[in-house]
Amino acid sequence: MLRLPETHRDLFKKPFGTLYGSIGELLPRLSGRAVYAVGDVVTHNLLDAGVIPDVAIIDGYTMRLPCTRLPLFRARRRLTAKNPAGTITDELAGAIADLVRGPPGVLFVDGEEDLAVIPLVLAAPDGAAILYGQPGEGVVLRIVDEPAKREARFMLTCFVRE
């Protein structure tokens, strides 16, 4: 398991992509791409906009409170993984890689999915669109390419293996 030390948490508060005020603003950028969603509210808002993500990663919470808008959709595959707050477990990274290889699917995280975008960028194919919520600001869109993967690999150097 990788744990993010408290001393590096501030580095992860800035958007890891382009910040948009709403899902509607970025919908044109999703056309023709695999779409991956991290977070209950982002997934719910995508579904409301008529976009079914290839992979959704949810935990039943938003901003540490139970999510009252659980995204419900039919996914061929449903996986679960344990992932405590502030960590990236091998179980989480493995489940993400598995779903990316065989979409569509949903990953229910027992714990917290906030850092799942890092292993998701590493597992996703070039050109894929990854969306996640930026609390109080909107939604972040990251198009997967080599610079995104390089940045994700760098982010992992901030973690400590336990």
Side-chain angles (χ1 to χ4, degrees):
M1 167 172 45
L2 297 173
R3 179 170 304 283
L4 182 61
E6 289 291 331
T7 55
H8 292 302
R9 300 250 167 134
D10 284 346
L11 298 173
F12 291 80
K13 292 186 178 176
K14 70 176 184 115
F16 178 37
T18 304
L19 179 64
Y20 291 85
S22 70
I23 291 282
E25 292 176 38
L26 60 80
L27 286 177
R29 303 273 331 262
L30 303 182
S31 181
R33 299 182 184 277
V35 176
Y36 303 106
V38 178
D40 297 72
V41 173
V42 168
T43 303
H44 175 83
N45 290 341
L46 275 173
L47 293 169
D48 272 0
V51 177
I52 299 172
D54 294 275
V55 171
I57 303 171
I58 61 176
D59 65 4
Y61 288 84
T62 183
M63 295 174 51
R64 309 264 194 274
L65 298 170
C67 186
T68 57
R69 300 186 299 177
L70 283 176
L72 299 174
F73 65 101
R74 295 181 114 90
R76 184 173 48 141
R77 301 179 64 210
R78 293 172 183 259
L79 301 180
T80 60
K82 291 185 191 305
N83 194 75
T87 69
I88 298 173
T89 62
D90 294 337
E91 185 177 352
L92 175 73
I96 289 170
D98 189 16
L99 282 174
V100 167
R101 280 191 303 271
V106 62
L107 174 57
F108 293 96
V109 177
D110 179 6
E112 197 172 273
E113 93 296 71
D114 292 5
L115 296 171
V117 69
I118 299 168
L120 182 55
V121 165
L122 294 172
D126 282 356
I130 296 177
L131 292 81
Y132 71 93
Q134 187 75 16
E137 295 186 52
V139 61
V140 175
L141 169 64
R142 184 65 190 235
I143 303 299
V144 177
D145 56 11
E146 188 49 42
K149 290 180 183 282
R150 197 169 31 253
E151 191 173 346
R153 285 190 294 270
F154 172 76
M155 289 172 147
L156 289 178
T157 68
C158 296
F159 287 74
V160 176
R161 179 152 299 270
E162 293 182 347

